[in-house]
Amino acid sequence: MKLTITAPQNQPAVVFSLVDQSALEQLIANKSIETLSDVVTATQFKAQFSEQLPLVGLSTETPFLTLLGLGDTEQLAQKKLATLAQHIITVAQKKHAAIEINVAALPAKFQYIFALQLTQANYTFDEFKSTKHQQVLEQVYFSNSQLTAQQIELLNALQSGQNLARDLGNKPGNTCYPEYLVTVAEELVKAYPNHLKLTVLDEQQIADLGMGAFLAVSQGSDRPGRIITLEYNSDREEAPVVLVGKAITFDTGGISLKPGAGMDEMKFDMGGGASVFGTLRAICEANLPIHVVGLIAAAENMPSAKATRPGDIVKTMSGQTVEILNTDAEGRLVLCDALTYVKRFNPAVVIDIATLTGACVVALGKILTGAFSPDDELIHELETAGETSFDRVWRLPVIDDYQDGLDSPFADIANITGPVGGGAISAACFLQRFTREYRWAHLDVAGTAWVSGAAKGSSGRPVPLLTQFIANRVK
Ligand code: BES
Ligand code: MN
Ligand code: ZN
C-alpha cells in the first residue's frame, strides 16, 4: 500500500472522513450533502469516538462516503487512533484499490502517527497459508493533511522496512536460519547496490577473530552461525551510527532447555536482527544522507552433543573469559563478541537491539521497550524518536552497583547472576563490559518485538524508533 498526499489520477470514489462535532456541524451547514441533516438526526450520529456513519449514494461527488467520529479531539491519544486505522483498513483492504481519507479534523500532531498506523494495520502474512488473504488496497490518499512530501516519503520507506522485519520475524525457524538471513542481506544489496556493502563472516572466520562466546552458542546447531554486516553509505566521512541486532533464529535454551509451553515464540528471538534489516531497508528507500552500519549476529541455540554445557568457560574476542552458567542466556554471548567487533568502525554511537530477557517483559510488559545507557543524551534522543514514531522506550538503569552479581569464581565474568532479581539490568551490565570504548545504548525488545495471543505475530518494532532516530541525526 502506498500513501500519497497528492490526489491520484482517477479520484477514488471511496472516502473516509474523520469528523469531530464541529466538523460535522460545518458539513451540515455547507449543504454539499442535502439530506445530511436529516440522516444525522435520524441516526443520532454524534461524531463520538469510533462512531461510524456510512452515507452511500447521498452525494454525487463522493458516492461512498463514511463519516468516522473522532470524539473530543482534546481526548485523543495515539493508542486510540490505531483503532480507527484498523477499522478503515479492515473495511477497505478486501474491496477497494484506492481510498481517500479526509483528515482535516484530525489535529496535525496526530496525522503522522495515524498514517503510520494505517500502514501497520494493512500488514498481512500468509506465506504459509494455502489460501492467501484477499487484499486489493493499493493506495491511500490523505486529503487536507498537513503532512509534508518528505514525511510521506519517510512513511512509505518505514512501511517497507517494518514489513520486512515483520516477515522475517514471522517466518519459522525451519525456514529462517542464519544462512537464510545471509540471502536476505544479499537481496537487499541487489536492491540498493549504490548504498550497501555486505560482509559475511562464516564460523571459521568467526573463530579466527577469537569470538568464543558467539561460537559457544552456534556450535550446538547443525545450522552454522553467521555475522552479517551491511554498511550503508560507506563513502561518507562521518563516524557511523552502528546497529547491532541479536538474531537467534530459534532459541531452545540449549542444554539449559526452555519449558515446552510457548516455546514456538522463540522463533521471534531474531527480532533485533530483523529490525536492523528493516531499518536499513527504510533508510535505503528514504535515501537518507548518513553513514550507518548494521550488524546481524545470527545463530541458532540448540541442545546437542556439540552444545555448550553449563559451566563451560570460553574466551571472548575482547579477551575476557566467560563462565556460561546458563546456556539460555545466549543473547548476551553472541552480542558481546559482535560489540567488540564493531569497534573497527570507529562508531559515533552503537545501539544494540535484542529480545534479551524475560525479566524486561516482567518490568515493562509488552508496551514499552527497555532502554539502557549510561549516556543521558543518547537516552533522550531515543526517547524523542520513540515519541515521534509512537514506538516508545522507557529507561532502565545500567549502573556499576549491579556488576558484582556477574562475578564468577572461575572466569572473568559469569553469563548470569544469582537469584537476586533485576535480570534485564544485569544483562545490560554484562553487555556494558564490552562497550566501554564508545557511546552505547542497549534496547531490550523482549516484550515489544512480537505480539502474543490470538493476534500472534512479529510487530516489526523497533524499526519505527530506529528509523526516526537515524532520520533525526541527518544534519
Ligand atoms: N530470548 C530469551 C529472552 C526472552 C524470554 C524473550 C521470553 C522474550 C520472552 C533469552 O535468550 C533468554 O532465554 N533469557 C533468559 C535469561 C536467563 C537465563 C538469565 C531469561 O530471560 O529467562
Ligand atoms: Mn535464551
Ligand atoms: Zn534468546
Side-chain angles (χ1 to χ4, degrees), residues 312-314 316 318-325 332-333 336 403-417 426-434:
D312 282 3
I313 295 174
V314 296
T316 64
S318 72
Q320 299 173 82
T321 55
V322 180
E323 185 185 19
I324 302 174
L325 292 174
R332 63 199 78 182
L333 296 175
C336 71
Q403 285 289 355
D404 297 349
L406 290 165
D407 286 347
S408 153
F410 301 110
D412 299 337
I413 181 172
N415 80 328
I416 56 163
T417 56
S426 59
C429 284
F430 181 95
L431 298 177
Q432 194 180 25
R433 295 212 192 184
F434 302 85

PDB file of all heavy atoms in Angstrom, residues 312-314 316 318-325 332-333 336 403-417 426-434:
ATOM      1  N   ASP A 312      30.766 -24.399  31.247  1.00  0.00           N
ATOM      2  CA  ASP A 312      31.844 -24.234  30.263  1.00  0.00           C
ATOM      3  C   ASP A 312      32.378 -22.800  30.300  1.00  0.00           C
ATOM      4  O   ASP A 312      31.629 -21.843  30.535  1.00  0.00           O
ATOM      5  CB  ASP A 312      31.334 -24.527  28.835  1.00  0.00           C
ATOM      6  CG  ASP A 312      31.221 -26.034  28.563  1.00  0.00           C
ATOM      7  OD1 ASP A 312      31.482 -26.824  29.484  1.00  0.00           O
ATOM      8  OD2 ASP A 312      30.848 -26.391  27.422  1.00  0.00           O
ATOM      9  N   ILE A 313      33.683 -22.698  30.066  1.00  0.00           N
ATOM     10  CA  ILE A 313      34.309 -21.374  30.065  1.00  0.00           C
ATOM     11  C   ILE A 313      34.871 -21.096  28.675  1.00  0.00           C
ATOM     12  O   ILE A 313      35.545 -21.952  28.088  1.00  0.00           O
ATOM     13  CB  ILE A 313      35.422 -21.285  31.138  1.00  0.00           C
ATOM     14  CG1 ILE A 313      34.793 -21.426  32.539  1.00  0.00           C
ATOM     15  CG2 ILE A 313      36.185 -19.959  31.022  1.00  0.00           C
ATOM     16  CD1 ILE A 313      35.798 -21.509  33.671  1.00  0.00           C
ATOM     17  N   VAL A 314      34.535 -19.921  28.153  1.00  0.00           N
ATOM     18  CA  VAL A 314      35.017 -19.553  26.811  1.00  0.00           C
ATOM     19  C   VAL A 314      35.707 -18.192  26.865  1.00  0.00           C
ATOM     20  O   VAL A 314      35.512 -17.413  27.798  1.00  0.00           O
ATOM     21  CB  VAL A 314      33.854 -19.492  25.782  1.00  0.00           C
ATOM     22  CG1 VAL A 314      33.229 -20.864  25.598  1.00  0.00           C
ATOM     23  CG2 VAL A 314      32.801 -18.457  26.194  1.00  0.00           C
ATOM     24  N   THR A 316      36.202 -14.558  25.023  1.00  0.00           N
ATOM     25  CA  THR A 316      35.544 -13.650  24.083  1.00  0.00           C
ATOM     26  C   THR A 316      36.591 -12.942  23.230  1.00  0.00           C
ATOM     27  O   THR A 316      37.790 -12.967  23.546  1.00  0.00           O
ATOM     28  CB  THR A 316      34.731 -12.578  24.831  1.00  0.00           C
ATOM     29  OG1 THR A 316      35.645 -11.775  25.593  1.00  0.00           O
ATOM     30  CG2 THR A 316      33.720 -13.221  25.768  1.00  0.00           C
ATOM     31  N   SER A 318      37.104  -9.939  23.139  1.00  0.00           N
ATOM     32  CA  SER A 318      37.703  -8.853  23.925  1.00  0.00           C
ATOM     33  C   SER A 318      38.850  -9.355  24.799  1.00  0.00           C
ATOM     34  O   SER A 318      39.570  -8.557  25.399  1.00  0.00           O
ATOM     35  CB  SER A 318      36.633  -8.232  24.835  1.00  0.00           C
ATOM     36  OG  SER A 318      36.327  -9.132  25.894  1.00  0.00           O
ATOM     37  N   GLY A 319      38.978 -10.691  24.918  1.00  0.00           N
ATOM     38  CA  GLY A 319      39.979 -11.266  25.811  1.00  0.00           C
ATOM     39  C   GLY A 319      39.386 -11.707  27.134  1.00  0.00           C
ATOM     40  O   GLY A 319      39.949 -12.572  27.816  1.00  0.00           O
ATOM     41  N   GLN A 320      38.278 -11.144  27.537  1.00  0.00           N
ATOM     42  CA  GLN A 320      37.642 -11.546  28.799  1.00  0.00           C
ATOM     43  C   GLN A 320      37.092 -12.971  28.670  1.00  0.00           C
ATOM     44  O   GLN A 320      36.545 -13.346  27.631  1.00  0.00           O
ATOM     45  CB  GLN A 320      36.472 -10.603  29.144  1.00  0.00           C
ATOM     46  CG  GLN A 320      36.887  -9.134  29.327  1.00  0.00           C
ATOM     47  CD  GLN A 320      35.674  -8.224  29.505  1.00  0.00           C
ATOM     48  OE1 GLN A 320      35.128  -8.109  30.590  1.00  0.00           O
ATOM     49  NE2 GLN A 320      35.257  -7.565  28.432  1.00  0.00           N
ATOM     50  N   THR A 321      37.221 -13.736  29.757  1.00  0.00           N
ATOM     51  CA  THR A 321      36.661 -15.091  29.744  1.00  0.00           C
ATOM     52  C   THR A 321      35.277 -15.092  30.394  1.00  0.00           C
ATOM     53  O   THR A 321      35.016 -14.310  31.317  1.00  0.00           O
ATOM     54  CB  THR A 321      37.574 -16.070  30.502  1.00  0.00           C
ATOM     55  OG1 THR A 321      37.789 -15.544  31.837  1.00  0.00           O
ATOM     56  CG2 THR A 321      38.922 -16.220  29.812  1.00  0.00           C
ATOM     57  N   VAL A 322      34.417 -15.983  29.915  1.00  0.00           N
ATOM     58  CA  VAL A 322      33.045 -16.052  30.427  1.00  0.00           C
ATOM     59  C   VAL A 322      32.727 -17.466  30.878  1.00  0.00           C
ATOM     60  O   VAL A 322      32.962 -18.434  30.144  1.00  0.00           O
ATOM     61  CB  VAL A 322      32.015 -15.657  29.340  1.00  0.00           C
ATOM     62  CG1 VAL A 322      30.590 -15.724  29.894  1.00  0.00           C
ATOM     63  CG2 VAL A 322      32.288 -14.259  28.790  1.00  0.00           C
ATOM     64  N   GLU A 323      32.198 -17.585  32.085  1.00  0.00           N
ATOM     65  CA  GLU A 323      31.657 -18.859  32.536  1.00  0.00           C
ATOM     66  C   GLU A 323      30.179 -18.908  32.167  1.00  0.00           C
ATOM     67  O   GLU A 323      29.387 -18.075  32.631  1.00  0.00           O
ATOM     68  CB  GLU A 323      31.829 -19.003  34.058  1.00  0.00           C
ATOM     69  CG  GLU A 323      31.378 -20.373  34.544  1.00  0.00           C
ATOM     70  CD  GLU A 323      31.428 -20.520  36.077  1.00  0.00           C
ATOM     71  OE1 GLU A 323      31.467 -19.493  36.790  1.00  0.00           O
ATOM     72  OE2 GLU A 323      31.419 -21.679  36.562  1.00  0.00           O
ATOM     73  N   ILE A 324      29.820 -19.865  31.313  1.00  0.00           N
ATOM     74  CA  ILE A 324      28.441 -19.968  30.824  1.00  0.00           C
ATOM     75  C   ILE A 324      27.646 -20.831  31.792  1.00  0.00           C
ATOM     76  O   ILE A 324      27.609 -22.048  31.683  1.00  0.00           O
ATOM     77  CB  ILE A 324      28.410 -20.536  29.387  1.00  0.00           C
ATOM     78  CG1 ILE A 324      29.243 -19.626  28.461  1.00  0.00           C
ATOM     79  CG2 ILE A 324      26.967 -20.636  28.881  1.00  0.00           C
ATOM     80  CD1 ILE A 324      29.402 -20.151  27.042  1.00  0.00           C
ATOM     81  N   LEU A 325      27.046 -20.168  32.780  1.00  0.00           N
ATOM     82  CA  LEU A 325      26.295 -20.914  33.797  1.00  0.00           C
ATOM     83  C   LEU A 325      24.942 -21.353  33.275  1.00  0.00           C
ATOM     84  O   LEU A 325      24.379 -22.334  33.737  1.00  0.00           O
ATOM     85  CB  LEU A 325      26.123 -20.040  35.048  1.00  0.00           C
ATOM     86  CG  LEU A 325      27.427 -19.753  35.798  1.00  0.00           C
ATOM     87  CD1 LEU A 325      27.190 -18.755  36.928  1.00  0.00           C
ATOM     88  CD2 LEU A 325      28.018 -21.050  36.356  1.00  0.00           C
ATOM     89  N   ARG A 332      23.350 -12.448  25.139  1.00  0.00           N
ATOM     90  CA  ARG A 332      24.495 -11.641  25.561  1.00  0.00           C
ATOM     91  C   ARG A 332      25.812 -12.246  25.065  1.00  0.00           C
ATOM     92  O   ARG A 332      26.794 -11.527  24.887  1.00  0.00           O
ATOM     93  CB  ARG A 332      24.486 -11.462  27.088  1.00  0.00           C
ATOM     94  CG  ARG A 332      24.618 -12.723  27.869  1.00  0.00           C
ATOM     95  CD  ARG A 332      24.161 -12.584  29.328  1.00  0.00           C
ATOM     96  NE  ARG A 332      22.709 -12.617  29.455  1.00  0.00           N
ATOM     97  CZ  ARG A 332      22.050 -12.474  30.600  1.00  0.00           C
ATOM     98  NH1 ARG A 332      22.704 -12.279  31.741  1.00  0.00           N
ATOM     99  NH2 ARG A 332      20.733 -12.515  30.627  1.00  0.00           N
ATOM    100  N   LEU A 333      25.804 -13.574  24.841  1.00  0.00           N
ATOM    101  CA  LEU A 333      27.035 -14.214  24.363  1.00  0.00           C
ATOM    102  C   LEU A 333      27.312 -13.869  22.896  1.00  0.00           C
ATOM    103  O   LEU A 333      28.453 -13.571  22.524  1.00  0.00           O
ATOM    104  CB  LEU A 333      26.947 -15.736  24.538  1.00  0.00           C
ATOM    105  CG  LEU A 333      26.858 -16.228  25.995  1.00  0.00           C
ATOM    106  CD1 LEU A 333      26.655 -17.736  26.027  1.00  0.00           C
ATOM    107  CD2 LEU A 333      28.101 -15.827  26.791  1.00  0.00           C
ATOM    108  N   CYS A 336      28.144  -9.932  22.835  1.00  0.00           N
ATOM    109  CA  CYS A 336      29.377  -9.365  23.396  1.00  0.00           C
ATOM    110  C   CYS A 336      30.500  -9.401  22.357  1.00  0.00           C
ATOM    111  O   CYS A 336      31.264  -8.430  22.236  1.00  0.00           O
ATOM    112  CB  CYS A 336      29.760 -10.033  24.715  1.00  0.00           C
ATOM    113  SG  CYS A 336      30.347 -11.724  24.591  1.00  0.00           S
ATOM    114  N   GLN A 403      27.105  -4.752  38.916  1.00  0.00           N
ATOM    115  CA  GLN A 403      28.150  -5.549  38.265  1.00  0.00           C
ATOM    116  C   GLN A 403      28.619  -6.738  39.108  1.00  0.00           C
ATOM    117  O   GLN A 403      28.912  -7.810  38.560  1.00  0.00           O
ATOM    118  CB  GLN A 403      29.363  -4.671  37.905  1.00  0.00           C
ATOM    119  CG  GLN A 403      29.149  -3.766  36.696  1.00  0.00           C
ATOM    120  CD  GLN A 403      29.109  -4.526  35.381  1.00  0.00           C
ATOM    121  OE1 GLN A 403      29.332  -5.730  35.329  1.00  0.00           O
ATOM    122  NE2 GLN A 403      28.811  -3.817  34.300  1.00  0.00           N
ATOM    123  N   ASP A 404      28.671  -6.559  40.438  1.00  0.00           N
ATOM    124  CA  ASP A 404      29.220  -7.619  41.308  1.00  0.00           C
ATOM    125  C   ASP A 404      28.497  -8.947  41.123  1.00  0.00           C
ATOM    126  O   ASP A 404      29.109 -10.016  41.245  1.00  0.00           O
ATOM    127  CB  ASP A 404      29.096  -7.219  42.789  1.00  0.00           C
ATOM    128  CG  ASP A 404      29.911  -5.979  43.099  1.00  0.00           C
ATOM    129  OD1 ASP A 404      30.714  -5.576  42.224  1.00  0.00           O
ATOM    130  OD2 ASP A 404      29.733  -5.408  44.197  1.00  0.00           O
ATOM    131  N   GLY A 405      27.214  -8.864  40.838  1.00  0.00           N
ATOM    132  CA  GLY A 405      26.413 -10.079  40.659  1.00  0.00           C
ATOM    133  C   GLY A 405      26.922 -10.964  39.539  1.00  0.00           C
ATOM    134  O   GLY A 405      26.595 -12.150  39.486  1.00  0.00           O
ATOM    135  N   LEU A 406      27.695 -10.388  38.626  1.00  0.00           N
ATOM    136  CA  LEU A 406      28.183 -11.150  37.474  1.00  0.00           C
ATOM    137  C   LEU A 406      29.561 -11.776  37.726  1.00  0.00           C
ATOM    138  O   LEU A 406      30.143 -12.381  36.828  1.00  0.00           O
ATOM    139  CB  LEU A 406      28.249 -10.251  36.234  1.00  0.00           C
ATOM    140  CG  LEU A 406      26.880  -9.831  35.647  1.00  0.00           C
ATOM    141  CD1 LEU A 406      27.042  -8.668  34.685  1.00  0.00           C
ATOM    142  CD2 LEU A 406      26.200 -11.010  34.965  1.00  0.00           C
ATOM    143  N   ASP A 407      30.075 -11.600  38.939  1.00  0.00           N
ATOM    144  CA  ASP A 407      31.384 -12.197  39.247  1.00  0.00           C
ATOM    145  C   ASP A 407      31.304 -13.719  39.202  1.00  0.00           C
ATOM    146  O   ASP A 407      30.292 -14.322  39.558  1.00  0.00           O
ATOM    147  CB  ASP A 407      31.845 -11.767  40.655  1.00  0.00           C
ATOM    148  CG  ASP A 407      32.313 -10.317  40.664  1.00  0.00           C
ATOM    149  OD1 ASP A 407      32.511  -9.748  39.571  1.00  0.00           O
ATOM    150  OD2 ASP A 407      32.432  -9.749  41.765  1.00  0.00           O
ATOM    151  N   SER A 408      32.396 -14.320  38.729  1.00  0.00           N
ATOM    152  CA  SER A 408      32.459 -15.782  38.659  1.00  0.00           C
ATOM    153  C   SER A 408      33.688 -16.241  39.439  1.00  0.00           C
ATOM    154  O   SER A 408      34.731 -15.586  39.395  1.00  0.00           O
ATOM    155  CB  SER A 408      32.589 -16.207  37.189  1.00  0.00           C
ATOM    156  OG  SER A 408      33.247 -17.454  37.091  1.00  0.00           O
ATOM    157  N   PRO A 409      33.601 -17.378  40.158  1.00  0.00           N
ATOM    158  CA  PRO A 409      34.783 -17.862  40.870  1.00  0.00           C
ATOM    159  C   PRO A 409      35.855 -18.410  39.922  1.00  0.00           C
ATOM    160  O   PRO A 409      37.009 -18.564  40.314  1.00  0.00           O
ATOM    161  CB  PRO A 409      34.237 -18.973  41.776  1.00  0.00           C
ATOM    162  CG  PRO A 409      32.919 -19.356  41.194  1.00  0.00           C
ATOM    163  CD  PRO A 409      32.401 -18.173  40.431  1.00  0.00           C
ATOM    164  N   PHE A 410      35.472 -18.696  38.670  1.00  0.00           N
ATOM    165  CA  PHE A 410      36.402 -19.362  37.754  1.00  0.00           C
ATOM    166  C   PHE A 410      36.836 -18.523  36.564  1.00  0.00           C
ATOM    167  O   PHE A 410      37.913 -18.737  36.010  1.00  0.00           O
ATOM    168  CB  PHE A 410      35.761 -20.661  37.226  1.00  0.00           C
ATOM    169  CG  PHE A 410      35.398 -21.623  38.311  1.00  0.00           C
ATOM    170  CD1 PHE A 410      34.064 -21.875  38.617  1.00  0.00           C
ATOM    171  CD2 PHE A 410      36.391 -22.265  39.053  1.00  0.00           C
ATOM    172  CE1 PHE A 410      33.732 -22.765  39.628  1.00  0.00           C
ATOM    173  CE2 PHE A 410      36.060 -23.152  40.060  1.00  0.00           C
ATOM    174  CZ  PHE A 410      34.721 -23.403  40.361  1.00  0.00           C
ATOM    175  N   ALA A 411      35.972 -17.599  36.115  1.00  0.00           N
ATOM    176  CA  ALA A 411      36.286 -16.822  34.920  1.00  0.00           C
ATOM    177  C   ALA A 411      36.175 -15.327  35.229  1.00  0.00           C
ATOM    178  O   ALA A 411      35.879 -14.944  36.366  1.00  0.00           O
ATOM    179  CB  ALA A 411      35.328 -17.206  33.790  1.00  0.00           C
ATOM    180  N   ASP A 412      36.416 -14.492  34.218  1.00  0.00           N
ATOM    181  CA  ASP A 412      36.349 -13.046  34.448  1.00  0.00           C
ATOM    182  C   ASP A 412      34.920 -12.592  34.715  1.00  0.00           C
ATOM    183  O   ASP A 412      34.683 -11.599  35.398  1.00  0.00           O
ATOM    184  CB  ASP A 412      36.892 -12.301  33.216  1.00  0.00           C
ATOM    185  CG  ASP A 412      38.346 -12.647  32.940  1.00  0.00           C
ATOM    186  OD1 ASP A 412      39.043 -13.074  33.902  1.00  0.00           O
ATOM    187  OD2 ASP A 412      38.792 -12.498  31.780  1.00  0.00           O
ATOM    188  N   ILE A 413      33.970 -13.315  34.134  1.00  0.00           N
ATOM    189  CA  ILE A 413      32.575 -12.894  34.258  1.00  0.00           C
ATOM    190  C   ILE A 413      31.683 -14.125  34.060  1.00  0.00           C
ATOM    191  O   ILE A 413      32.053 -15.054  33.338  1.00  0.00           O
ATOM    192  CB  ILE A 413      32.266 -11.779  33.206  1.00  0.00           C
ATOM    193  CG1 ILE A 413      30.817 -11.288  33.309  1.00  0.00           C
ATOM    194  CG2 ILE A 413      32.574 -12.234  31.790  1.00  0.00           C
ATOM    195  CD1 ILE A 413      30.540 -10.068  32.437  1.00  0.00           C
ATOM    196  N   ALA A 414      30.543 -14.125  34.736  1.00  0.00           N
ATOM    197  CA  ALA A 414      29.546 -15.187  34.520  1.00  0.00           C
ATOM    198  C   ALA A 414      28.457 -14.646  33.598  1.00  0.00           C
ATOM    199  O   ALA A 414      28.257 -13.433  33.537  1.00  0.00           O
ATOM    200  CB  ALA A 414      28.927 -15.607  35.850  1.00  0.00           C
ATOM    201  N   ASN A 415      27.758 -15.546  32.912  1.00  0.00           N
ATOM    202  CA  ASN A 415      26.757 -15.014  31.982  1.00  0.00           C
ATOM    203  C   ASN A 415      25.378 -14.835  32.617  1.00  0.00           C
ATOM    204  O   ASN A 415      24.452 -14.358  31.960  1.00  0.00           O
ATOM    205  CB  ASN A 415      26.686 -15.830  30.671  1.00  0.00           C
ATOM    206  CG  ASN A 415      25.879 -17.106  30.804  1.00  0.00           C
ATOM    207  OD1 ASN A 415      25.854 -17.713  31.877  1.00  0.00           O
ATOM    208  ND2 ASN A 415      25.220 -17.510  29.726  1.00  0.00           N
ATOM    209  N   ILE A 416      25.231 -15.217  33.899  1.00  0.00           N
ATOM    210  CA  ILE A 416      24.002 -14.866  34.627  1.00  0.00           C
ATOM    211  C   ILE A 416      24.374 -14.484  36.064  1.00  0.00           C
ATOM    212  O   ILE A 416      25.474 -14.788  36.535  1.00  0.00           O
ATOM    213  CB  ILE A 416      22.982 -16.034  34.689  1.00  0.00           C
ATOM    214  CG1 ILE A 416      23.621 -17.291  35.300  1.00  0.00           C
ATOM    215  CG2 ILE A 416      22.401 -16.347  33.329  1.00  0.00           C
ATOM    216  CD1 ILE A 416      22.608 -18.318  35.775  1.00  0.00           C
ATOM    217  N   THR A 417      23.447 -13.845  36.739  1.00  0.00           N
ATOM    218  CA  THR A 417      23.631 -13.557  38.159  1.00  0.00           C
ATOM    219  C   THR A 417      22.874 -14.610  38.961  1.00  0.00           C
ATOM    220  O   THR A 417      22.090 -15.375  38.400  1.00  0.00           O
ATOM    221  CB  THR A 417      23.046 -12.170  38.524  1.00  0.00           C
ATOM    222  OG1 THR A 417      21.670 -12.161  38.127  1.00  0.00           O
ATOM    223  CG2 THR A 417      23.782 -11.065  37.824  1.00  0.00           C
ATOM    224  N   SER A 426      20.986  -6.762  34.837  1.00  0.00           N
ATOM    225  CA  SER A 426      22.277  -7.459  34.873  1.00  0.00           C
ATOM    226  C   SER A 426      22.698  -7.888  33.469  1.00  0.00           C
ATOM    227  O   SER A 426      23.895  -7.901  33.157  1.00  0.00           O
ATOM    228  CB  SER A 426      22.265  -8.631  35.857  1.00  0.00           C
ATOM    229  OG  SER A 426      21.278  -9.565  35.507  1.00  0.00           O
ATOM    230  N   ALA A 427      21.703  -8.181  32.594  1.00  0.00           N
ATOM    231  CA  ALA A 427      22.057  -8.486  31.199  1.00  0.00           C
ATOM    232  C   ALA A 427      22.690  -7.257  30.546  1.00  0.00           C
ATOM    233  O   ALA A 427      23.700  -7.364  29.833  1.00  0.00           O
ATOM    234  CB  ALA A 427      20.813  -8.915  30.423  1.00  0.00           C
ATOM    235  N   ALA A 428      22.121  -6.093  30.801  1.00  0.00           N
ATOM    236  CA  ALA A 428      22.686  -4.845  30.257  1.00  0.00           C
ATOM    237  C   ALA A 428      24.085  -4.606  30.817  1.00  0.00           C
ATOM    238  O   ALA A 428      24.996  -4.173  30.096  1.00  0.00           O
ATOM    239  CB  ALA A 428      21.767  -3.666  30.574  1.00  0.00           C
ATOM    240  N   CYS A 429      24.268  -4.921  32.120  1.00  0.00           N
ATOM    241  CA  CYS A 429      25.588  -4.750  32.734  1.00  0.00           C
ATOM    242  C   CYS A 429      26.617  -5.682  32.109  1.00  0.00           C
ATOM    243  O   CYS A 429      27.790  -5.329  31.950  1.00  0.00           O
ATOM    244  CB  CYS A 429      25.508  -4.983  34.244  1.00  0.00           C
ATOM    245  SG  CYS A 429      24.778  -3.592  35.113  1.00  0.00           S
ATOM    246  N   PHE A 430      26.175  -6.888  31.772  1.00  0.00           N
ATOM    247  CA  PHE A 430      27.069  -7.825  31.078  1.00  0.00           C
ATOM    248  C   PHE A 430      27.555  -7.183  29.777  1.00  0.00           C
ATOM    249  O   PHE A 430      28.760  -7.132  29.499  1.00  0.00           O
ATOM    250  CB  PHE A 430      26.327  -9.145  30.790  1.00  0.00           C
ATOM    251  CG  PHE A 430      27.173 -10.182  30.103  1.00  0.00           C
ATOM    252  CD1 PHE A 430      27.830 -11.168  30.833  1.00  0.00           C
ATOM    253  CD2 PHE A 430      27.329 -10.178  28.718  1.00  0.00           C
ATOM    254  CE1 PHE A 430      28.624 -12.131  30.200  1.00  0.00           C
ATOM    255  CE2 PHE A 430      28.116 -11.136  28.082  1.00  0.00           C
ATOM    256  CZ  PHE A 430      28.767 -12.112  28.826  1.00  0.00           C
ATOM    257  N   LEU A 431      26.608  -6.661  28.987  1.00  0.00           N
ATOM    258  CA  LEU A 431      26.979  -6.048  27.704  1.00  0.00           C
ATOM    259  C   LEU A 431      27.875  -4.833  27.904  1.00  0.00           C
ATOM    260  O   LEU A 431      28.794  -4.572  27.124  1.00  0.00           O
ATOM    261  CB  LEU A 431      25.722  -5.633  26.920  1.00  0.00           C
ATOM    262  CG  LEU A 431      24.772  -6.771  26.521  1.00  0.00           C
ATOM    263  CD1 LEU A 431      23.547  -6.207  25.810  1.00  0.00           C
ATOM    264  CD2 LEU A 431      25.490  -7.802  25.646  1.00  0.00           C
ATOM    265  N   GLN A 432      27.618  -4.111  28.981  1.00  0.00           N
ATOM    266  CA  GLN A 432      28.397  -2.885  29.206  1.00  0.00           C
ATOM    267  C   GLN A 432      29.888  -3.166  29.341  1.00  0.00           C
ATOM    268  O   GLN A 432      30.721  -2.342  28.970  1.00  0.00           O
ATOM    269  CB  GLN A 432      27.886  -2.147  30.453  1.00  0.00           C
ATOM    270  CG  GLN A 432      28.440  -0.725  30.523  1.00  0.00           C
ATOM    271  CD  GLN A 432      27.961   0.029  31.753  1.00  0.00           C
ATOM    272  OE1 GLN A 432      27.616  -0.574  32.771  1.00  0.00           O
ATOM    273  NE2 GLN A 432      27.941   1.360  31.660  1.00  0.00           N
ATOM    274  N   ARG A 433      30.222  -4.358  29.832  1.00  0.00           N
ATOM    275  CA  ARG A 433      31.652  -4.697  29.972  1.00  0.00           C
ATOM    276  C   ARG A 433      32.377  -4.758  28.627  1.00  0.00           C
ATOM    277  O   ARG A 433      33.596  -4.818  28.575  1.00  0.00           O
ATOM    278  CB  ARG A 433      31.808  -6.051  30.672  1.00  0.00           C
ATOM    279  CG  ARG A 433      31.299  -6.026  32.100  1.00  0.00           C
ATOM    280  CD  ARG A 433      32.099  -6.974  32.958  1.00  0.00           C
ATOM    281  NE  ARG A 433      31.444  -7.169  34.246  1.00  0.00           N
ATOM    282  CZ  ARG A 433      31.953  -7.889  35.240  1.00  0.00           C
ATOM    283  NH1 ARG A 433      33.109  -8.507  35.075  1.00  0.00           N
ATOM    284  NH2 ARG A 433      31.308  -8.003  36.384  1.00  0.00           N
ATOM    285  N   PHE A 434      31.590  -4.793  27.543  1.00  0.00           N
ATOM    286  CA  PHE A 434      32.190  -4.890  26.208  1.00  0.00           C
ATOM    287  C   PHE A 434      32.011  -3.606  25.398  1.00  0.00           C
ATOM    288  O   PHE A 434      32.355  -3.564  24.220  1.00  0.00           O
ATOM    289  CB  PHE A 434      31.572  -6.075  25.453  1.00  0.00           C
ATOM    290  CG  PHE A 434      31.758  -7.383  26.178  1.00  0.00           C
ATOM    291  CD1 PHE A 434      30.868  -7.784  27.183  1.00  0.00           C
ATOM    292  CD2 PHE A 434      32.854  -8.193  25.899  1.00  0.00           C
ATOM    293  CE1 PHE A 434      31.060  -8.973  27.875  1.00  0.00           C
ATOM    294  CE2 PHE A 434      33.055  -9.388  26.592  1.00  0.00           C
ATOM    295  CZ  PHE A 434      32.157  -9.777  27.582  1.00  0.00           C
TER     296      PHE A 434
END
